Amino acid sequence: MHATIPQQELAAAVTWAARQLPSKPTNPVLTGMRLAADDGQLRLSVWDGTTAAHATLDVDVTESGTVIAPGQMLQQIVAALRKSDVTLSDRAGDLEITTLGAHFALNVLDGRDFPTLPSMPEPLGWVEGSDFAAAFKRVKASIDAKADGSFAGMSGVRIRIDGDMLTLTSTDRYRIATATMPWHSDQPVTAMGVMPGKAIADNATAFQGRLHLSLPADGSGTAALSGDGRQVSTMLLEPGLFPHRLDEIVINVSGRIVTDAESLTEGVRAAMAVSEPGKPVWLHAGEDGVSLRAGSSSRSIVEVDAAYEGDMPAFETAINSVYLLDGLTPLSGVTHIDVTTPKTPAVIHSPDDATYRYVVTPLRDPDRAA
């Protein structure tokens, strides 16, 4: 192998690919990154046992070849190099990295032990990469990264394609975040899958322009993301482990707080000055306005610029303060909090933005939680 490429292009691709490397590999070779140079291109590939990632770069290739380099060490070296052309070559069992004023030699891994990576499924259509990144940012707080066993589906994000809409949904049993975006396809598509949280977190912002997506119809098998010279395929979580009944939740609105997202966020943070993150914050709404309180003292009250409208003359509900802030963070401007009763789920949304919905369950025994 003998290939030359600008440092900035190589560093971006290697850093992205190294993100997919397993933290606890079942086989030492899985810590490796395969570099294959041929026909004017350099292809970087990694595999952690469930997720495969590839990055393809245009390079000056004078000699074709393939090596398996220690992935994390390669990333650290390339990131530290000067912004000049980098030459990669294999010689006598080493990957040699040469650039202006620097030369490194890395012991390569045995290529015979590197697994055959799964093929990429054909894409069904595409979304804008920026829309996908923004949607994931809205739902990521509701992922339960530690969920396992019969709740393992909550450690991922459900992706659903239906007609001209793609929807991301996450839940940790206490809240449900949903974000939608336009879907583009040459043919009608209905598909879904629960993508592992790490796989989507590592790649949600990795694609510029069009992001092509592949999903199975029944949620079982492999999903793939591709675009901008990068490809990721991952085994999906068992679809039956994601609580699909959450789609059946209906909020019969009997009361509504109308506020400004930024103002309410400031009010919650002010009220929590006498408590700790994750402790309850009480929302009191009635004809006299909306106020917040937290901690064990009912004398610490923060009034917010909000109005209440609804059938109930007044109500008070208590919500985990972190969950409430997570639901408000993606919003700006006019925001509604719709409630049925003080103890049943509430919906946080914007009347001017139909692409985001956040359902949060109030605390049943807030005094004990405080």
Side-chain angles (χ1 to χ4, degrees):
M1 173 199 288
H2 194 279
T4 303
I5 180 175
Q7 182 271 345
Q8 290 171 286
E9 296 179 18
L10 180 61
V14 170
T15 298
W16 171 76
R19 233 182 267 141
Q20 325 293 327
L21 293 168
S23 57
K24 297 179 180 179
T26 56
N27 186 323
V29 77
L30 296 182
T31 64
M33 184 180 301
R34 185 175 67 188
L35 289 76
D38 187 33
D39 195 25
Q41 291 188 324
L42 176 67
R43 184 173 172 86
L44 312 176
S45 301
V46 297
W47 167 250
D48 70 357
T50 59
T51 300
H54 311 274
T56 304
L57 303 167
D58 293 327
V59 300
D60 180 13
V61 178
T62 57
E63 183 179 338
S64 299
T66 301
V67 298
I68 312 297
Q72 294 293 353
M73 182 62 69
L74 176 64
Q75 187 275 325
Q76 293 173 23
I77 290 173
V78 172
L81 297 177
R82 297 179 183 178
K83 294 178 181 179
S84 61
D85 285 350
V86 178
T87 298
L88 305 172
S89 58
D90 61 318
R91 182 178 303 173
D94 288 339
L95 171 64
E96 298 193 350
I97 305 167
T98 306
T99 189
L100 182 65
H103 176 84
F104 296 86
L106 281 177
N107 290 328
V108 299
L109 304 175
D110 191 341
R112 295 172 297 180
D113 296 333
F114 198 79
T116 301
L117 303 189
S119 58
M120 293 286 295
E122 289 296 319
L124 300 175
W126 60 274
V127 297
E128 290 292 343
S130 57
D131 288 347
F132 190 85
F136 175 70
K137 186 177 180 180
R138 288 177 149 188
V139 305
K140 66 179 182 180
S142 298
I143 299 172
D144 185 355
K146 297 180 180 180
D148 57 11
S150 60
F151 299 106
M154 296 184 189
S155 66
V157 175
R158 187 184 65 184
I159 305 175
R160 171 175 286 174
I161 302 169
D162 191 1
D164 61 356
M165 194 69 66
L166 184 142
T167 304
L168 303 184
T169 304
S170 65
T171 182
D172 61 3
R173 297 190 295 275
Y174 307 107
R175 61 253 180 92
I176 307 162
T178 302
T180 62
M181 71 204 79
W183 168 257
H184 308 273
S185 179
D186 295 333
Q187 56 188 0
V189 175
T190 300
M192 65 80 66
V194 182
M195 184 173 285
K198 182 181 185 302
I200 192 169
D202 287 343
N203 298 290
T205 62
F207 301 93
Q208 305 298 319
R210 292 184 177 184
L211 166 58
H212 298 271
L213 180 66
S214 176
L215 281 176
D218 62 357
S220 300
T222 302
L225 308 174
S226 61
D228 199 32
R230 298 175 178 180
Q231 299 175 318
V232 179
S233 63
T234 186
M235 294 175 61
L236 295 169
L237 299 173
E238 173 59 43
L241 298 179
F242 192 87
H244 296 284
R245 291 190 64 182
L246 55 83
D247 297 319
E248 302 171 7
I249 295 176
V250 177
I251 307 297
N252 297 310
V253 181
S254 58
R256 170 176 290 161
I257 294 174
V258 180
T259 185
D260 176 87
E262 291 83 0
S263 296
L264 184 56
T265 297
E266 291 178 1
V268 173
R269 289 176 175 159
M272 292 306 298
V274 296
S275 189
E276 300 174 2
K279 294 296 185 179
V281 58
W282 281 263
L283 287 80
H284 175 85
E287 294 181 356
D288 55 344
V290 178
S291 61
L292 307 169
R293 67 178 178 88
S296 58
S297 174
S298 60
R299 294 176 296 172
S300 300
I301 296 174
V302 176
E303 295 183 356
V304 295
D305 184 12
Y308 170 71
E309 54 190 43
D311 299 331
M312 293 184 290
F315 80 93
E316 185 173 73
T317 187
I319 299 174
N320 179 302
S321 58
V322 170
Y323 295 173
L324 181 56
L325 289 172
D326 286 343
L328 293 169
T329 297
L331 295 171
S332 62
V334 178
T335 297
H336 291 175
I337 301 178
D338 295 342
V339 298
T340 303
T341 72
K343 297 295 185 182
T344 53
V347 180
I348 301 174
H349 66 102
S350 167
D352 303 320
D353 182 3
T355 64
Y356 174 70
R357 184 174 186 259
Y358 185 87
V359 180
V360 61
T361 302
L363 294 163
R364 293 186 180 275
D365 189 356
D367 292 319
R368 183 178 180 181

